[in-house]
Structure formats: structure tokens, C-alpha cells
Amino acid sequence: MTAPVSVTVDENIAYVTIDNPPVNALSQAVRAGLSDAVRRLDADDAVQAVVLLCTGRTFVAGADIREFGKPPQPPHLPDVIAEIENAHVPWVAAIHGTALGGGLELALGCSARVVEAGAKLGLPEVSLGLIPGAGGTVRLPRLVPVEEAIAMITSGKPVDAAQAVSIGLADRIAKNDRVEEAAELARELAANGKPDTLSARPPVGNPDETFWAKQRASIKAKVRGQISPVAGLEAVRDAVTMPAAGAFTAERARFMALKDTEQSAALRYMFFAERNTGRPDAIKNEKPAEIRSVGVIGGGTMGAGIAASFLLAGLPITLIERDAEAVDQAIGRVKGILEQSRKRGVLTDETLAETLVRFSAETSYETLSDCDLVIEAVFEDMNVKHAVFADLDKVCRADAILATNTSYLDVSAIADATSDPSRVVGLHFFSPAHVMKLLEIVKTEAASPKTLETALSVAKMLHKIPVIAGVCDGFIGNRIFSAFRRECDFMLEEGALPEQIDAAMRGFGFAMGIYAVQDLAGLDIGWATRKRQAASRDPEARYSRIADRICELGRFGQKTGAGWYSYAEGSRTGDPDPLVERIVREESERLGIQRKDFSDEDIMNRIMAAMQTEARAVLDEGIALKPSDIDVTLVHGYGFPRHQGGPMFKAGQT
């Protein structure tokens, strides 16, 4: 077996190459190979400088995930990086692809860094509930301004090559061959004498205590209870206020302490769960259909978001609306989304223009006759959806995939409107569709393996996380959401108020509480669902009328200026409304319930129990393929805090 680290020497420049596909992870063998290379090259007087490079599509993209949860094996990464930093000759990192986590820490141990134009550099450890543990928090603020170091370490977001150079993280962007230009820089450093190591340099800035207090308050407000970003800030503060040796020791202690926390365990669990969502055995050897053009039926908020998602992925889109006025409105929504993408830097002026060329909006289904995939995103009404699919069945190619974006309705019943239900699948996007990462793929009994494999390929194309769900009312996510929403309504009857429940959920780590979320999404959809279910509802089952009474008043959330909360004109932040409290108290009185006080812990215990009970039923019925799929759905579709791992993780069932 070829060694993952090799050394060659050419004209007094040594080239240390890491070859550990697919992402050149820092396995024990790689670490050992690097350590051996340092000792070998330090003993060779002919070597004047070293270039560190990687084969394949990327520089070192981080630790070896196969070693997660296992005791670290020597040589340890901090020691290897210290060896490189203290080598007799300068080392220069030639970076392409991504240099993330331990990969960037490795590059920080070098005397200089040359990056390709498309490279990304970052320290994403906070996403695993950790901080950099191999000197990253100490060396980075000695190379870039303290504010930039804090931003990179506490957010985990990478910087691109241009930004890396502008803040001092990289020395230059390669104009041609990165390895040749790194060798050129290595010769310059060798000629001028090896520069001071980062460990020997002072920090780039020395802010006062007021600065640190403001940073701490700002980060705590953003992370909603996650502890690793705050620990990252404290590690940077140590790096600025302590000698490097002490800061290295403090960093490692923090890293090891965080590694043993439940939050880090939850985040590591989610890391694997997101990458290993379930796949039915029947489709494992199936090849997906090629998707080259897509049609979308309906240009409302969801349809426009779906269309924009495919446009941003580089596909041509044809959107269908009922009349010319609706077409114009849909075009405006899609253009608005793309313009926001331009403002965020996702698109340039040039690529925005190119993207719009691939977009058209029409009123005739005939224009969809050659599409490979058509997605329906119309109003949540079975009769309407039946009519849409009957029309699509007439005009679309026989091998085209037909998908519905329904949130609750029976996808099998929708498929029955076609002559070939095997090509029908649910593609449940989450709003805003161009932002939310989850795609719930709803498989019917009739759906063919090719249809399902194509749906999975669509998720990959859109950079979304796919979760396969069976057919039931609400599938995985909305079924569990409805169950815990009902439990929250029962707590209102028993003594809580909407703002109390929302505050408890925010304290747990949710970005928004259940009632604020309903106001944002619109209460009318849930109301329509409850009315549809009324005929089949068990008359003996407990049912809260509070939400229905609010809807009967025309209060459908933010879009009507009132729902569970009232909204001042133009405001997206609601205020508690005495009218809602009066309705809540009237329902308690009608039911003869003596109201009681609820603590935040009481509220979250009830919510968690409701989620877990329904989740177990979803799993037992085969609606979800495995417990972790449920957690992925709740985290990425419903705001369950990622650092809490999901309801199944909390229940110990993963």
C-alpha cells in the first residue's frame, strides 16, 4: 500500500506530498508521515526550503472522521504542527480546494501560504461542538487581526482566497501553478532567512476588556445556548493575553473538555446523520434519470423558491401560472430571490443575467412537454392537485418524473390521477425553498426505484439533505410538528400563554417558538388541514379550539397583521395580544380546567415527550427509515437546535 506522505527533492527544494483520498484527511498515517518528513529534511543540509502540497481535488479538509470518538493515536496533530513550525528551513503550504480545521492549522504551522483562486480556508470545529485543538486559536490571531480570528473561529465559516490574502491569512494567490509559485516563495524565504514562527509573534491587536465583553454578548445572542463558539472566543482571548505556550495549553484543555460534552456528542452525531440518511435497499443499484430541464407549477412563495433553487443550480426552468397577471407576479418573485442572491455574492451581475436567460414563465402546460422533471406547488387541496396531475399526465413525456410539493396530502392519491403512478414522487421543500437544506422525499408504494433514485439525485444537485418518508398525513416532519403543536395548545388550555411557550423554546435553542413560527408561515394552511381532518377525527380525542377561534377572526399571522401575536405595520416581530389571552382563558373556563403555572422546564419536557412519542410511532409504522432521519428532519426543517441533536438523540434512540 502506497504511503500517504511522500518526499521528493528538486534543486534544493523539497516537496512533501499528502495523498490520502478523498479529502487528504489527517489520519494517524498522515501525521506520522509528516513527522518523519520533518526529521528527514531537517537532517538534509542540501534542502533549503519545503513545499507542502496535496494531490487530488483538495488540500487537507480536516481530521479523519473515522477516528471520531476514538482515543487519539500518536503522533498528535499539535506536536506534528509544532515540528513543522520549528523546522530548520521554511515550509510553504500550496493550498487548493479547501484547507479546513486541522488542514488550516497545518498550514498555519508553515512559514507562508500560497492559495489557488478558488480555495476556501476555515476553522469549522464549532459545528462539531469543538474549538481548534492544534494551535489554531493561538496562531491565527498572530497572523490576522483579532476581530477576523474571532469571526472565523466562532462562526466556523470559511473565507475565500481573496479574503484570505486581504486579512493576511494567505501570502499570495497563485496566478498559474500553485506548486511552482509556492516553490518560488520558498526560495525567497530561504534566501532572506526563515521568518519568525507564528508562536513567536505578538497578536495582531490587543483589545481592551470592553471589546471582549461586547464580543461575548454578541456571540451568546447568536448561538442560542451552544457553548463551543463562546469557548472559541475565550481561547482567542487567551491567545492575546497570555504567552503562546500558556495559550496552547489552555486551548488543548478546552478542546478536550468540549470533546466530552453532550453538545459535542450531539453535533458529531448530526454530522454523520446528515451524510447518511436512509436509502431503501431496492434503489441501491439503480441509476437516476438525467435531469436537464425542470417545470414548476405555481409561482407563489414556494413555487418561486423552488424555481430559484434549480436556477441557482444551473438548470433551465419553465414556471406555469394560471393567467398573465399571475405570471408577472411569479416572475417578480423569482427575480427578487435571484437579486437577493446577487447581493449576497452568490451571483455576479454577469451570472445573474445568464441565470435569467434560463428562466421562463408561461400559462400553458404544453410548454412542459419536454421537461425531465415537473414539480407541482399549488394550493394544498386534493381536487386542485388531482386536476394538475391529470393535465400533466396528458402533456409530459412518458418518462418524465412528476413530483408534488404537498406538505400533508396523500401522495399516493395524487399519483392516482396519472396513468403511471410509478413516476410520481413527493418532493417536499421547506420555505424558503432556495435556502432551507432539507428535502423530504415521499415515496409511495407505486413509485419506481428509478423515480426515487432520481429524487435523491435532485437533492444532491440542489445541495440539499434528502430524507425519504413514507405516505401518511404530514409525512415525518409535519406529523411530528402537528403532534407537538397540539401539546402546546393543550398547555395553553392548562395555564400557559403563547409568549411563555415561545420563550421556553428559544431558551432551549430554537430560533423561534412554535407560535411565532405559525404566524410566519400563515395559520390558514394548518386551519385548512384541521378542517379537512374534522370528519375523520375521533370525537372522543382531545381537541383544542383555540387556534380555530383565532383563524375564524381572520387572524392568519404576519401577512394579516395578527395571528397568535399582533404586528405593527411593517413589523415582523409580534407583540402579545390581550385578545388572544382572552380566548385562551375562555377556553380553559369552558373546559373547566383550573389554570396552573408552567416553568420553562415543564414546557420543554411536555414538548419533548410529544415529539418522541410521535417519532416512535413514525418509526414503528415505517414512515421513517431510521431514527436519525427523524432528527435530521426536525433539525433542518423545523428549527430543532442542532447542538441538542434531535428528539431521538435526546431519547437515546439513534
Side-chain angles (χ1 to χ4, degrees):
M1 187 173 180
T2 305
V5 177
S6 61
V7 178
T8 59
V9 179
D10 183 20
E11 295 182 355
N12 303 113
I13 300 295
Y15 297 86
V16 175
T17 304
I18 299 173
D19 182 8
N20 186 30
V23 294
N24 293 310
L26 288 164
S27 65
Q28 189 278 335
V30 170
R31 300 193 302 273
L34 289 171
S35 182
D36 289 343
V38 175
R39 288 193 292 272
R40 171 182 165 184
L41 295 173
D42 272 357
D44 189 343
D45 293 337
V47 172
Q48 297 176 354
V50 180
V51 173
L52 176 64
L53 65 141
C54 294
T55 62
R57 59 186 172 88
T58 185
F59 193 73
V60 175
D64 190 335
I65 61 174
R66 292 170 298 186
E67 296 182 6
F68 281 15
K70 298 178 181 178
Q73 298 297 313
H76 305 304
L77 185 58
D79 300 329
V80 174
I81 295 173
E83 289 177 334
I84 291 173
E85 184 176 53
N86 295 309
H88 296 165
V89 297
W91 282 51
V92 176
I95 297 172
H96 73 297
T98 56
L100 300 177
L104 181 54
E105 290 181 290
L106 181 66
L108 290 172
C110 296
S111 297
R113 288 144 293 280
V114 173
V115 296
E116 281 194 346
K120 300 280 188 182
L121 292 78
L123 295 168
E125 285 85 353
V126 291
S127 67
L128 297 177
L130 302 169
I131 62 170
T137 67
V138 182
R139 293 188 178 94
L140 187 63
R142 285 168 162 74
L143 186 63
V144 309
V146 170
E147 294 89 339
E148 300 290 351
I150 291 170
M152 288 184 66
I153 290 167
T154 63
S155 74
K157 294 178 181 177
V159 298
D160 60 26
Q163 188 178 355
V165 170
S166 71
I167 65 177
L169 178 56
D171 294 83
R172 61 183 67 170
I173 297 176
K175 296 178 181 178
N176 296 298
D177 185 281
R178 73 181 187 282
V179 178
E180 289 182 4
E181 296 189 33
E184 179 184 333
L185 179 55
R187 290 187 186 94
E188 293 175 15
L189 295 178
N192 295 321
K194 181 184 174 184
D196 288 341
T197 65
L198 289 182
S199 299
R201 299 184 198 178
V204 186
N206 186 18
D208 60 19
E209 184 53 43
T210 301
F211 169 87
W212 295 109
K214 287 181 178 178
Q215 288 286 328
R216 194 176 297 107
S218 175
I219 291 167
K220 279 188 174 181
K222 291 176 185 175
V223 300
R224 299 191 297 273
Q226 187 179 342
I227 58 178
S228 57
V230 179
L233 173 71
E234 297 301 334
V236 175
R237 188 173 186 274
D238 284 347
V240 173
T241 60
M242 298 170 61
F248 281 127
T249 300
E251 177 199 75
R252 194 64 183 173
R254 275 198 179 88
F255 175 85
M256 297 306 292
L258 287 168
K259 196 174 179 182
D260 292 335
T261 62
E262 185 176 347
Q263 283 196 10
S264 183
L267 288 163
R268 295 197 303 270
Y269 159 76
M270 286 305 304
F271 176 88
F272 289 108
E274 291 157 356
R275 286 154 181 79
N276 297 290
T277 50
R279 298 169 70 91
D281 290 338
I283 71 172
K284 286 185 177 176
N285 297 317
E286 190 68 44
K287 289 186 178 180
E290 187 176 359
I291 303 298
R292 295 156 298 184
S293 60
V294 178
V296 176
I297 311 293
T301 300
M302 184 59 77
I306 293 171
S309 296
F310 282 98
L311 288 168
L312 290 168
L315 272 75
I317 286 288
T318 302
L319 189 149
I320 303 297
E321 261 293 0
R322 61 185 181 277
D323 54 40
E325 181 181 358
V327 163
D328 288 342
Q329 292 172 348
I331 291 172
R333 291 188 191 100
V334 173
K335 285 185 174 179
I337 292 170
L338 296 177
E339 175 60 26
Q340 287 300 315
S341 296
R342 185 194 65 79
K343 289 179 179 178
R344 295 197 312 273
V346 176
L347 296 172
T348 63
D349 290 342
E350 183 179 354
T351 54
L352 173 59
E354 293 170 354
T355 300
L356 287 171
V357 168
R358 299 196 307 273
F359 174 55
S360 63
E362 311 287 346
T363 58
S364 171
Y365 281 30
E366 298 290 339
T367 57
L368 304 176
S369 60
D370 199 40
C371 285
D372 301 304
L373 168 68
V374 179
I375 303 172
E376 164 274 311
V378 301
F379 188 68
E380 201 73 340
D381 179 275
M382 183 62 82
N383 292 330
V384 174
K385 292 182 186 290
H386 261 168
V388 168
F389 274 79
D391 288 340
L392 291 176
D393 197 49
K394 296 172 186 174
V395 302
C396 292
R397 292 196 328 259
D399 63 341
I401 304 295
L402 306 181
T404 174
N405 180 59
T406 181
S407 302
Y408 286 94
L409 299 179
D410 186 335
V411 179
S412 297
I414 293 171
D416 286 343
T418 71
S419 58
D420 181 12
S422 73
R423 63 172 174 155
V424 178
V425 68
L427 291 180
H428 180 207
F429 290 78
F430 290 75
S431 185
H434 62 291
V435 174
M436 297 291 280
K437 292 181 69 175
L438 181 68
L439 182 61
E440 206 172 19
I441 298 172
V442 186
K443 67 176 184 69
T444 67
E445 291 296 326
S448 71
K450 192 175 194 70
T451 296
L452 292 177
E453 187 60 38
T454 303
L456 288 166
S457 75
V458 166
K460 183 176 181 181
M461 181 188 308
L462 299 179
H463 305 292
K464 294 189 181 295
I465 299 172
V467 172
I468 292 180
V471 175
C472 69
D473 203 276
F475 321 126
I476 297 173
N478 276 333
R479 176 169 163 179
I480 296 171
F481 178 86
S482 295
F484 93 80
R485 180 195 59 75
R486 287 193 300 271
E487 195 66 25
C488 289
D489 289 354
F490 296 157
M491 283 191 280
L492 294 184
E493 294 175 340
E494 295 168 23
L497 291 172
E499 58 269 27
Q500 291 176 304
I501 291 176
D502 281 359
M505 292 182 67
R506 292 195 303 273
F508 182 76
F510 283 87
M512 299 173 69
I514 181 71
Y515 296 108
V517 166
Q518 290 181 69
D519 276 0
L520 177 63
L523 305 186
D524 47 335
I525 296 175
W527 190 33
T529 299
R530 293 193 298 278
K531 288 190 288 186
R532 172 173 55 81
Q533 294 171 335
S536 59
R537 186 179 301 124
D538 180 355
E540 300 300 317
R542 184 176 178 182
Y543 181 80
S544 175
R545 298 194 328 186
I546 297 172
D548 293 347
R549 288 187 59 182
I550 290 171
C551 290
E552 287 163 4
L553 298 174
R555 298 170 63 105
F556 298 139
Q558 290 186 17
K559 61 188 174 185
T560 59
W564 289 101
Y565 299 96
S566 60
Y567 297 84
E569 187 173 352
S571 175
R572 299 179 70 84
T573 302
D575 295 311
D577 194 320
L579 175 59
V580 171
E581 182 174 347
R582 179 170 62 80
I583 291 172
V584 168
R585 292 184 179 278
E586 285 176 356
E587 286 300 300
S588 299
E589 186 176 351
R590 181 184 68 84
L591 294 167
I593 296 174
Q594 181 68 41
R595 293 179 65 80
K596 63 181 181 180
D597 292 334
F598 279 86
S599 67
D600 287 357
E601 184 179 9
D602 293 335
I603 290 169
M604 288 313 305
N605 285 343
R606 288 275 292 268
I607 287 174
M608 200 61 57
M611 282 185 174
Q612 289 164 346
T613 298
E614 197 66 30
R616 281 189 284 268
V618 163
L619 195 64
D620 291 344
E621 295 168 23
I623 302 303
L625 296 180
K626 54 184 181 178
S628 58
D629 283 0
I630 295 172
D631 288 337
V632 169
T633 300
L634 271 292
V635 166
H636 287 284
Y638 299 85
F640 196 100
R642 194 168 181 268
H643 63 271
Q644 298 280 11
M648 302 306 277
F649 174 83
K650 300 291 281 186
Q653 186 178 358
T654 59

